[in-house]
Amino acid sequence: MRSFLLAFALIAVAAPALAAPDASASKRGNKDLKTYCSGDAVTFCSGDDPDSPEMDACFKKNMDKISENCRRAITAYKGGGGK
């Protein structure tokens, strides 16, 4: 079973292009994860490639700190069969 944390690869980092990878190039995740988790990605995982295992590990490590909306998006993605 794939980790639901793989979904975070689509997270858009709301920083200048030089500071973070372009989320449009990502191949994982969905619109809700991008919308509700991008701020958490900047806060906790800045500098991690959205398609990397490091991004997945970062979200797993910080799960108790991420925003409620992001946690809800994760739960919905996981429950909807997201990969």
Side-chain angles (χ1 to χ4, degrees):
M1 180 168 100
R2 290 175 147 184
S3 168
F4 73 92
L5 293 174
L6 294 176
F8 292 104
L10 187 60
I11 295 171
V13 179
L18 295 175
D22 179 9
S24 66
S26 179
K27 298 182 183 2
R28 301 186 295 170
N30 69 18
K31 182 181 176 189
D32 286 342
L33 289 169
K34 180 179 176 181
T35 299
Y36 297 115
C37 297
S38 60
D40 294 298
V42 171
T43 300
F44 301 111
C45 309
S46 182
D48 288 341
D49 179 343
D51 287 319
S52 72
E54 290 80 16
M55 179 65 79
D56 301 338
C58 178
F59 267 88
K60 185 174 182 179
K61 175 184 172 187
N62 292 292
M63 190 59 68
D64 61 330
K65 299 174 191 170
I66 64 172
S67 66
E68 181 64 28
N69 285 337
C70 181
R71 281 195 300 269
R72 288 179 183 173
I74 293 167
T75 300
Y77 183 82
K78 183 178 174 185
K83 302 213 186 298

